[in-house]
Amino acid sequence: VAFLRSKVNGTGGDWKTLLSNSDYEAQTITNSYGLTIILYTFGNDSIKALKMKGYINKALTVGTEYTLATNAILKSRVNWYHNVLFGGKSKNSICYLNIDTSGNFKITPQAAVASGDAMSIMEYYV
């Protein structure tokens, strides 16, 4: 939980809660890559956050698209994609991330990923 308070003329106001557990729902997404994938939905699902972390159990080839998970609750209102950084064995690597309107969570690595490499991504989308 995060808190914030304003200060007017040197006097602090009441503490306000920015986000509480009742403001979002966290759902674990099943996948066959050994990763922890959690989808956070806020309010009416107009904003979603996706957190992926862990050690991948398969090698990934440069330039090949992999569907890490498919679930209707992952779906985006638009075919959403861009390049993101992901952590892998103490190095920063780039992958192409796509979350589509059917609920497919796909990545295309721009550097080889070995089985056992650590991966971490955190993204917000609509």
Side-chain angles (χ1 to χ4, degrees):
V1 177
F3 296 94
L4 176 73
R5 74 177 182 171
S6 62
K7 193 172 190 181
V8 178
N9 296 325
T11 303
D14 293 338
W15 286 101
K16 304 289 182 184
T17 303
L18 295 178
L19 184 67
S20 70
N21 290 346
S22 63
D23 295 325
Y24 70 91
E25 181 180 352
Q27 301 169 1
T28 301
I29 306 297
T30 303
N31 68 92
S32 61
Y33 287 85
L35 299 164
T36 299
I37 300 174
I38 301 172
L39 177 71
Y40 299 91
T41 53
F42 299 86
N44 62 3
D45 292 347
S46 61
I47 298 175
K48 297 179 179 184
L50 185 70
K51 177 181 178 182
M52 180 192 81
K53 67 178 185 173
Y55 297 93
I56 197 154
N57 62 13
K58 299 175 185 177
L60 306 181
T61 305
V62 173
T64 301
E65 182 179 74
Y66 296 90
T67 301
L68 298 186
T70 298
N71 190 312
I73 63 171
L74 284 169
K75 65 185 175 180
S76 174
R77 288 184 295 185
V78 296
N79 192 27
W80 184 90
Y81 57 91
H82 72 274
N83 286 323
V84 296
L85 289 173
F86 71 89
K89 277 210 173 166
S90 302
K91 65 181 178 184
N92 285 329
S93 300
I94 292 178
C95 71
Y96 183 78
L97 173 63
N98 174 240
I99 301 170
D100 66 23
T101 57
S102 296
N104 297 304
F105 169 42
K106 300 178 272 189
I107 65 168
T108 305
Q110 303 304 301
V113 178
S115 179
D117 274 2
M119 296 187 76
S120 178
I121 294 173
M122 182 71 175
E123 283 298 318
Y124 295 90
Y125 67 101
V126 294

